[in-house]
Amino acid sequence: MTNPTSETPTDAPAQSTPPTPAQDLYRHVNGEWIDHHVIPADRSVDGAFHILRDRAEADVRAIVEDADPDSRVGRLYRGFMDVAAVEAAGVDALAEDLAGIAAAADHDALAVALGRLDRAGVGGAAAFWVEKDSSSDLARLHLVQSGLGLPDEAYYREERHAGILAEYEAHLARMLRILDDATVGARDFTGSDIADAFDIGDAAAAAGRILAVERALAAGHWDVVASRDAVATYNPTAIADLPAGFPWAAWFAEMGVTAEAGDIIVMQPSYLGRVAQVWSDADLEDLRLWALARVLRARAAYLPEAFVEENFDFHGRTLAGAEELRPRWKRGVAFVEGAVGQEVGRAFVARHFPPAHKERMDDLVEHLLAAYRERIGALDWMTEDTRARALEKLSLFKAKIGYPARWRSYEGLEPVGELMADVRAAARFTHDYEVAKLGKPADRDEWFATPQTVNAFYNPVVNDITFPAAILRPPFFDPEADDAANYGAIGAVIGHEIGHGFDDQGSQYDGHGTLRQWWTDADRAAFEERTATLVDQFDGLVPTGLRELGRTDQGVNGRFTLGENIGDLGGLGIAVVAYRNRLAELGLPDEPDAYRDLFRSWALVWRTAIRPELSAQYLAVDPHSPAEFRCNQIARNIDEFHAAFGVRPGDGMWLDPAERVTIW
């Protein structure tokens, strides 16, 4: 059988005997690699996912660099890589973005300018996306809180983030000084130069004014737990009924969104009231400075090197712990993918995803769905009425494997090879593509990821699971590997994504993607009793890297990570059932040690080395638990894991049977 630990470097220095799986499955498989692996200087995290991302990135680079220089892909990449042209353009490249802000004579005019900027890729106080409505088959605009320069509202109010907040204010001041210095000889676009158009002579004072606006907006943001609530965040609202104090209709009109498109779905309604209040109360000059900061953040990656380096110094080094800026070619590849991802993806599939891989994945999905049917049919806590609806939902799952059935067209996007012009053109093209869907039947076959994405997804409003081609590679999926390796890796990932349809939020949607209560009250109560135990298991767990630094106040939020933990628990548990059924199909004995490689494969896919700065940030904003807990804490709940490795009371991985959670 394939040994998943064989990827451990053989030339690593000798170390003490690794723990047994019964003591620590995660470190048994990954400990030597973690102890000796050096995270590349241009990133803050590395591991199994990231190795695949590196491979996909290199594959895409070859596609991009092989492209005709005069093609859409070629012009986009060429414009990004032309450093001399970017430096020569200087801050003149911002003229189009800043003119509307500088010329705004009142609050309403500034809102209109922000709407225009949003269409060109610069976000304002709120953001949106377009997808199927949760109560109909029409595409609707979903409006969500935004407007901050830090990852989450907690950074503006929690004492443990005070140091980061101070660093952020200093970063804003440095960006403004760079802009001020760069304005000498810059284009006269408002009747005065940039320095005169914005009050940035005292950069520190200006940064404080920007931060004050962000603090005011952050005070209205919902926290990460509340923002996960599928019911509380579903609020169909007419544009005319949005809170008075901000010119919503004019703002939307600049983005091509009118009342004729129907209701919008407001995710955090009380936040919009905060926006209206801030907009009414704040000084116009303070709002203009805040809007300037939004432009600088959105455009920094496409400006001269001084802006790029300062942007990286805070967002890369301070926030995430990276040591070096990513090479320009990597940033160029990412820009092209963001602009024409499926055009690149079509070439990626042709080169790297043979039809046989899709066929094998289809077979794996069927085995995982069959295992879910078996488990749901045998649940002792669920009544027959709810069970029937759960099985109906399962029967309506759709699996999207590898690549879309219909490729997206980018006809009409004509890059010119001038970076900032192409940035705006690509943003407007994507924006208009999304807005054109409003009020029309949603396309259930549409892909929101590219084939070269290393990830997997569940979308509750259409009840589908997506597995892009780039994740369907070792160690996640290997057509040549034995079944145990595949079921423990991609099988558990398939089970995880299906499991999102039955997690604390996904379970509130029926099989057609409609948000409605299809449970009996008794079944929902039984479900929540089990999920509460899972919350308690994860709540407060401190990642090893932070614990070793004494930062024990930074632990997992069990409520915030509940959905992903349910997905992991269901994913691994169902993978075990599916593998057992596979053994039966092959006439092989169902013995405890037959599952050992499955669990080793499960541990291997969570192999991760992470810098403490990013680890702390993930705890605040990422609904996934840290990799070590996704591996160990989930495995501790699986009976077959205990049997496979003879785990006994007193072992590090032991969990008393009465405390183990089985949901699906």
Side-chain angles (χ1 to χ4, degrees):
M1 286 189 171
T2 301
N3 180 4
T5 63
S6 64
E7 293 192 9
T8 301
T10 56
D11 57 349
Q15 66 164 36
S16 58
T17 304
T20 66
Q23 294 297 337
D24 186 334
L25 175 65
Y26 183 69
R27 289 199 62 84
H28 171 75
V29 173
N30 301 309
E32 184 176 352
W33 181 90
I34 292 170
D35 290 340
H36 298 91
H37 183 71
V38 177
I39 301 173
D42 68 346
R43 71 183 64 171
S44 303
V45 61
D46 204 18
F49 277 90
H50 307 87
I51 290 168
L52 281 188
R53 287 169 186 165
D54 287 346
R55 181 178 172 188
E57 187 176 56
D59 291 339
V60 171
R61 180 187 190 182
I63 291 167
V64 168
E65 293 186 344
D66 286 350
D68 182 339
D70 289 324
S71 67
R72 190 178 288 113
V73 168
R75 289 197 298 272
L76 287 167
Y77 189 64
R78 185 183 68 209
F80 189 94
M81 297 302 290
D82 191 347
V83 177
V86 172
E87 294 292 332
V91 294
D92 284 351
L94 292 176
E96 182 178 328
D97 296 327
L98 298 182
I101 300 173
D106 55 35
H107 290 66
D108 284 0
L110 182 58
V112 168
L114 287 172
R116 196 174 304 124
L117 282 169
D118 199 294
R119 181 170 172 262
V122 178
F128 73 86
W129 73 91
V130 176
E131 70 174 356
K132 191 187 85 64
D133 186 3
S134 297
S135 63
S136 78
D137 203 41
L138 299 180
R140 297 291 187 205
L141 184 146
H142 292 65
L143 192 64
V144 65
Q145 62 193 16
S146 186
L148 309 182
L150 288 170
D152 183 66
E153 55 83 27
Y155 282 82
Y156 295 84
R157 62 175 171 81
E158 292 185 355
E159 183 59 31
R160 63 180 172 176
H161 296 305
I164 293 291
L165 189 63
E167 290 279 359
Y168 175 58
E169 185 173 3
H171 159 68
L172 288 172
R174 289 192 296 270
M175 287 290 276
L176 293 175
R177 290 189 189 102
I178 294 170
L179 178 64
D180 197 12
D181 291 344
T183 59
V184 177
R187 182 184 305 168
D188 182 353
F189 67 92
T190 62
S192 61
D193 66 22
I194 294 172
D196 292 336
F198 297 93
D199 188 8
I200 60 174
D202 185 341
R209 293 162 68 184
I210 293 166
L211 186 57
V213 174
E214 291 191 10
R215 279 183 182 273
L217 292 174
H221 270 234
W222 292 21
D223 66 26
V224 291
V225 175
S227 293
R228 285 191 65 245
D229 191 317
V231 174
T233 55
Y234 181 70
N235 303 281
T237 309
I239 292 176
D241 293 334
L242 295 175
F246 183 88
W248 299 105
W251 180 68
F252 275 122
E254 285 298 320
M255 295 184 283
V257 179
T258 64
E260 285 69 31
D263 287 352
I264 63 174
I265 310 303
V266 177
M267 305 295 288
Q268 296 96 1
S270 63
Y271 171 70
L272 299 190
R274 167 64 65 163
V275 171
Q277 180 184 342
V278 171
W279 205 255
S280 297
D281 295 347
D283 182 82
L284 178 62
E285 293 307 314
D286 290 353
L287 292 173
R288 279 162 29 110
L289 283 171
W290 167 79
L292 169 62
R294 301 296 291 169
V295 171
L296 289 177
R297 185 180 182 197
R299 302 304 196 211
Y302 315 112
L303 288 170
E305 203 65 14
F307 292 94
V308 174
E309 287 290 348
E310 174 54 39
N311 190 60
F312 166 74
D313 188 58
F314 177 73
H315 292 284
R317 286 193 181 92
T318 301
L319 266 184
E323 297 172 352
E324 293 179 1
L325 182 67
R326 298 177 76 219
R328 193 165 186 92
W329 74 262
K330 291 186 177 182
R331 290 177 279 142
V333 163
F335 168 60
V336 174
E337 288 193 281
V340 289
Q342 284 199 23
E343 191 161 303
V344 174
R346 193 168 189 169
F348 179 88
V349 167
R351 294 188 184 191
H352 303 291
F353 192 68
H357 288 199
K358 183 175 174 63
E359 293 170 8
R360 181 76 185 276
M361 272 295 296
D362 287 336
D363 180 68
L364 277 167
V365 169
E366 284 305 313
H367 278 77
L368 268 295
L369 287 171
Y372 262 105
R373 283 192 291 272
E374 177 182 330
R375 282 278 282 256
I376 292 172
L379 290 175
D380 60 4
W381 57 268
M382 181 174 279
T383 62
E384 289 305 317
D385 285 347
T386 304
R387 190 192 319 279
R389 295 187 185 102
L391 290 170
E392 178 189 27
K393 178 170 184 175
L394 191 68
S395 73
L396 294 170
F397 264 85
K398 179 176 181 178
K400 297 176 177 176
I401 307 297
Y403 53 89
R406 183 177 64 258
W407 295 99
R408 178 179 166 185
S409 170
Y410 294 91
E411 184 179 354
L413 175 60
E414 298 299 335
V416 296
E418 180 185 333
L419 182 54
M420 197 64 79
D422 288 346
V423 168
R424 293 190 190 97
R428 288 172 180 139
F429 183 85
T430 298
H431 175 98
D432 293 348
Y433 173 82
E434 295 296 322
V435 167
K437 303 174 188 175
L438 292 176
K440 300 173 183 176
D443 180 2
R444 289 177 176 265
D445 293 326
E446 184 176 16
W447 274 53
F448 297 98
T450 65
Q452 62 271 29
T453 300
V454 179
N455 212 329
F457 310 93
Y458 171 71
N459 188 347
V461 298
V462 289
N463 196 31
D464 69 20
I465 50 178
T466 301
F467 301 94
I471 198 174
L472 303 179
R473 292 170 160 182
F476 287 87
F477 172 67
D478 183 356
E480 305 304 318
D482 62 33
D483 286 321
N486 277 325
Y487 277 86
I490 197 63
V493 174
I494 295 168
H496 172 103
E497 298 307 331
I498 297 172
H500 275 313
F502 301 102
D503 70 18
D504 61 318
Q505 300 304 318
S507 62
Q508 299 187 76
Y509 297 82
D510 68 14
H512 299 282
T514 300
L515 186 63
R516 69 179 183 89
Q517 176 58 285
W518 51 272
W519 297 63
T520 66
D521 291 342
D523 286 327
R524 178 59 70 175
F527 173 77
E528 291 180 351
E529 179 182 351
R530 285 159 174 76
T531 61
T533 302
L534 200 61
V535 169
D536 291 341
Q537 284 190 14
F538 279 85
D539 211 34
L541 294 175
V542 179
T544 299
L546 295 179
R547 188 177 66 248
E548 290 174 347
L549 293 174
R551 295 164 67 173
T552 55
D553 63 327
Q554 295 177 297
V556 175
N557 182 329
R559 178 60 59 184
F560 177 40
T561 57
L562 178 58
E564 297 298 335
N565 295 336
I566 292 172
D568 284 340
L569 180 63
L572 182 57
I574 294 297
V576 168
V577 174
Y579 180 59
R580 179 187 303 127
N581 294 341
R582 180 61 176 159
L583 290 174
E585 286 179 5
L586 298 174
L588 298 175
D590 178 14
E591 299 174 345
D593 61 2
Y595 296 86
R596 289 177 179 173
D597 276 0
L598 182 151
F599 289 111
R600 290 191 179 104
S601 185
W602 164 258
L604 178 61
V605 300
W606 300 121
R607 172 176 289 182
T608 303
I610 186 168
R611 302 186 195 275
E613 295 88 348
L614 188 63
S615 182
Q617 183 184 150
Y618 277 177
L619 289 173
V621 302
D622 187 355
H624 302 83
S625 294
E628 62 191 282
F629 305 134
R630 298 186 75 174
C631 174
N632 281 356
Q633 192 60 35
I634 294 300
R636 295 178 74 215
N637 282 282
I638 306 297
D639 293 343
E640 289 82 358
F641 168 75
H642 290 262
F645 295 106
V647 187
R648 297 290 182 265
D651 291 339
M653 292 293 293
W654 172 258
L655 188 63
D656 189 274
E659 298 175 2
R660 297 173 198 170
V661 179
T662 300
I663 301 174
W664 296 104

